[in-house]
Amino acid sequence: MGSVTKTFTAALFADAVTRGEVRPDDPLERALPELAGTPAGAVTLASLAQHRSGLPPLGATAAAGALATTVNLNPYSSTTTAQLLDDARAAAVDPQQPPTYSNFGVALLGTALVRAAGADGYPQLVADRITGPLGMTTTTFGATDAQVPDTAVPGHRDNGRPAPRWVGEGYLPAGSSTFSTVEDLARWAAAQLTGVAPGTAALTPTAQDGPGTSIGWIWVTSEATGSDGARHPYVWHNGGTAGFSSMVALDRDGGRAVVVLGDTTAGVEPVAGTLLFGTPPSDGGAGLLAWAPVAAAALFSLLALRRAVREVALLPIADGLLTAVFGLVLLWNRGPWASVGGWLWGLVLAPAAAALVIAVLRGRDLPLRPPGRSVTAWAGLVLSAALVAVAVWAG
């Protein structure tokens, strides 16, 4: 469920305030004394819950692995709770920073709440105060691979390709690895509407984020235009990890809620909006972007065919073929397979395959290097080979 987990942290915060364990204006170092004297230790719990602490989006350890998210690798696996605190001790705080969504900040907030409650870790605190009392029996956490439930479904990229699973301890309060079901989350959403859930004060806005948007303790309040043409406020949080996307949205005025869980990285927000208010779904232009790999692969395949017909040496032809392979691998990994069949890949492959046949037929009569372009020909071949290797690795 990814960052929908943050709604648990929000509820735990509001509940801890009610219990007198913490106060919104407490500095982080009050619950985590190992941060005393550091910039991070001076930020308030309220600022963490509002994404206004001045902390960066990720701690140094996770930030160092953030590039891995481009190929769906896990940036959080190496951050234990101890490492999270080490990163906090060294973290810079920018008081002039505008509201900045921070997994780092929410992870520290959750860690502080665990410490203030005297609990044995974040999963135990959630079980004691949320999932246990509400009967949410299928919600659990995966700090390690061994803790991933046997019933957990596999995740996928938005084009249907398999995605690796994320686990990790330090960022559990921010949603690095939480497993749940639509039944459990429907129970959670209903408990928000009826006030049965602990910490429902977290839903109440405490700061303005912009026109029509405000934030409470982590929960966001926005407005949507419904099918009736009227503007409707709703409270929500979404989430996403490698292979999964999620959203919980509450229409408090109408007494309705929507839970949407997806086993791909494609965002489910349009689905939630349509279900809740009849809002027409929109991909925001993402559908057109998904066809970019098709255009690139087709262009490279056609250029390879052109080179096979017109070049007077083998190296430029081989360079063109490798570039076509790069485009085909890119298309294989990133193509719009949610909306079109695999026949498209075969169609794009055809010019490259023809280029290969022509290259084989002409190769016996062509020199290896073109006259006067030996260095550039070899450089192009090496670059194309590198691109193929990167595309295969990223896939």
Side-chain angles (χ1 to χ4, degrees), residues 94-112:
D94 180 4
Q96 304 303 316
Q97 179 176 272
T100 299
Y101 190 87
S102 178
N103 284 317
F104 189 32
V106 175
L108 288 169
L109 173 62
T111 303

Side-chain angles (χ1 to χ4, degrees), residues 211-302:
T213 303
S214 56
I215 189 169
W217 301 144
I218 298 177
W219 284 99
V220 179
T221 297
S222 300
E223 291 185 347
T225 301
S227 57
D228 58 0
R231 299 289 289 174
H232 298 274
Y234 68 105
V235 184
W236 62 275
H237 209 290
N238 58 1
T241 64
F244 299 92
S245 54
S246 58
M247 188 169 187
V248 174
L250 313 171
D251 174 11
R252 301 180 75 189
D253 292 342
R256 302 178 305 153
V258 167
V259 174
V260 186
L261 303 178
D263 61 349
T264 78
T265 53
V268 296
E269 294 82 2
V271 180
T274 299
L275 290 173
L276 199 58
F277 297 119
T279 307
S282 170
D283 62 14
L288 184 62
L289 184 62
W291 286 84
V294 180
L299 175 63
F300 295 152
S301 191
L302 289 170

Side-chain angles (χ1 to χ4, degrees), residues 69-228:
T69 60
T70 61
V71 290
N72 272 329
L73 298 180
N74 185 2
Y76 301 113
S77 59
S78 59
T79 302
T80 61
T81 299
Q83 186 60 56
L84 182 81
L85 295 174
D86 283 345
D87 289 345
R89 276 190 285 269
V93 173
D94 180 4
Q96 304 303 316
Q97 179 176 272
T100 299
Y101 190 87
S102 178
N103 284 317
F104 189 32
V106 175
L108 288 169
L109 173 62
T111 303
L113 297 174
V114 169
R115 191 76 65 83
D120 185 19
Y122 183 79
Q124 187 60 54
L125 184 59
V126 171
D128 289 346
R129 297 188 176 180
I130 295 177
T131 56
L134 294 179
M136 298 169 61
T137 58
T138 57
T139 300
T140 186
F141 298 88
T144 65
D145 289 323
Q147 294 175 349
V148 174
D150 293 337
T151 54
V153 300
H156 306 82
R157 297 175 183 171
D158 56 4
N159 60 15
R161 296 279 292 158
R165 196 181 298 284
W166 288 1
V167 295
E169 179 198 14
Y171 282 84
L172 284 180
S176 59
S177 189
T178 311
F179 300 89
S180 191
T181 60
V182 71
E183 292 84 3
D184 261 18
L185 289 177
R187 189 181 294 264
W188 175 237
Q192 304 299 319
L193 295 175
T194 60
V196 172
T200 53
L203 300 169
T204 303
T206 56
Q208 197 71 23
D209 263 354
T213 303
S214 56
I215 189 169
W217 301 144
I218 298 177
W219 284 99
V220 179
T221 297
S222 300
E223 291 185 347
T225 301
S227 57
D228 58 0

Side-chain angles (χ1 to χ4, degrees), residues 23-24 32 48 74 108 113 123 188 193 210 233 306 339 380 382:
R23 295 178 303 183
L32 301 173
L48 294 170
N74 185 2
L108 288 169
L113 297 174
W188 175 237
L193 295 175
R306 181 176 182 272
S339 56
V382 170

Side-chain angles (χ1 to χ4, degrees), residues 307-331:
R307 282 194 173 191
V309 172
R310 300 185 60 177
E311 286 287 352
V312 294
L314 289 175
L315 279 182
I317 294 175
D319 180 13
L321 287 169
L322 279 176
T323 304
V325 170
F326 163 70
L328 289 165
V329 173
L330 178 69
L331 177 58

